[in-house]
């Protein structure tokens, strides 16, 4: 194996650890943001809620933005893990390669689902708050609200389905042994 390959594989191991930390940080930031946002709405800041409640319409957008970053980090972690676990030139030992195969076979669907459910709950909470603040005298306001809610939930569900498909495709990776067996 060339020195460049060894350096690349070592960097991949380090990148996997950095990305795992990044994903954990993003999840914490998402939870903190949503908690603060809903906490502020329950505190009397001497601001008339009817004047600023429209800001709550952005809650699903922020949750979806965090979801995109979290899913991106998650898929990078999975790609690196599968590559290191299945590629014959990997510096991973037999135990790490077996661990990666085990992880691929028994994926944790709970964490990505929990992230999606949290986004749905936050969106429904925002919708309930918006609904309580509206007088709903205009049909256009009702229509806008309904479109916003359905579209927000549809985007969250579509992202979750796309992420599940991507993770499954990553798990189906089979190394091309012709390119990995070169002698140095």
């Amino acid at each position: 194996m060339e020195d460049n390959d060894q350096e690349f594989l070592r960097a991949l191991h380090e990148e996997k650890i950095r990305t795992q930390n990044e994903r954990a940080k993003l999840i914490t930031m998402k939870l903190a943001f949503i908690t603060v946002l809903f906490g502020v709405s329950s505190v009397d800041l001497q601001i008339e809620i009817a004047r600023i409640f429209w800001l709550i319409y952005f809650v699903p957008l922020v949750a979806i933005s965090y979801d995109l970053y979290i899913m991106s980090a998650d898929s990078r972690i999975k790609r690196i893990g599968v590559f290191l676990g299945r590629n014959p030139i990997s510096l991973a030992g037999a135990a790490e390669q077996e661990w990666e195969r085990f992880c691929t076979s028994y994926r944790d669907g709970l964490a990505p689902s929990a992230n999606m459910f949290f986004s749905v709950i936050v969106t429904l909470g925002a919708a309930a708050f918006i609904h309580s603040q509206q007088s709903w005298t205009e049909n256009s306001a009702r229509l806008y609200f309904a479109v916003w809610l359905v579209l927000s939930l549809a985007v969250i569900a579509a992202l979750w389905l796309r992420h599940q498909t991507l993770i499954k495709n990553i798990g189906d990776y089979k190394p091309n042994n012709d390119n990995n067996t070169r002698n140095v």
Side-chain angles (χ1 to χ4, degrees):
M1 180 183 313
E2 293 182 21
D3 287 340
N4 290 345
D5 287 340
Q6 289 178 342
E7 183 62 31
F8 170 72
L9 292 170
R10 197 173 3 267
L12 261 181
H13 278 276
E14 292 169 6
E15 177 64 20
K16 182 179 174 188
I17 292 167
R18 271 194 308 274
T19 307
Q20 287 170 329
N21 291 333
E22 175 188 335
R23 179 182 58 188
K25 185 176 167 184
L26 285 165
I27 291 168
T28 302
M29 288 170 52
K30 177 182 175 183
L31 293 171
F33 173 78
I34 300 302
T35 302
V36 167
L37 187 65
F38 281 117
V40 166
S41 69
S42 67
V43 175
D44 184 13
L45 299 174
Q46 305 301 325
I47 298 172
E48 194 175 320
I49 295 295
R51 298 180 70 181
I52 63 165
F53 83 92
W54 59 270
L55 288 171
I56 303 297
Y57 276 101
F58 291 101
V59 168
L61 184 62
V62 172
I64 289 167
S65 297
Y66 273 111
D67 288 347
L68 287 170
Y69 284 115
I70 292 165
M71 289 174 183
S72 173
D74 190 55
S75 66
R76 283 183 302 189
I77 292 165
K78 304 288 192 285
R79 281 194 313 260
I80 293 170
V82 167
F83 179 82
L84 292 174
R86 294 191 182 161
N87 200 300
I89 65 168
S90 172
L91 291 176
E96 183 176 353
Q97 289 181 347
E98 184 58 33
W99 173 248
E100 290 296 343
R101 277 191 287 280
F102 178 80
C103 288
T104 301
S105 297
Y106 299 99
R107 285 272 177 228
D108 174 18
L110 192 56
S113 297
N115 193 44
M116 187 262 316
F117 287 132
F118 185 69
S119 293
V120 167
I121 290 167
V122 164
T123 300
L124 293 175
F129 183 79
I130 290 168
H131 193 272
S132 72
Q133 297 299 311
Q134 286 281 34
S135 61
W136 303 108
T137 56
E138 297 179 28
N139 285 336
S140 62
R142 286 184 194 153
L143 179 63
Y144 175 75
F145 175 78
V147 168
W148 166 82
L149 181 57
V150 169
L151 188 61
S152 296
L153 294 173
V155 168
I156 292 166
L159 285 174
W160 180 77
L161 290 170
R162 170 70 176 107
H163 185 66
Q164 297 294 36
T165 302
L166 178 63
I167 297 306
K168 182 188 177 321
N169 289 340
I170 291 169
D172 292 342
Y173 166 75
K174 304 252 188 297
N176 182 354
N177 290 331
D178 294 339
N179 293 337
N180 297 326
T181 57
R182 62 183 177 170
N183 294 326
V184 178

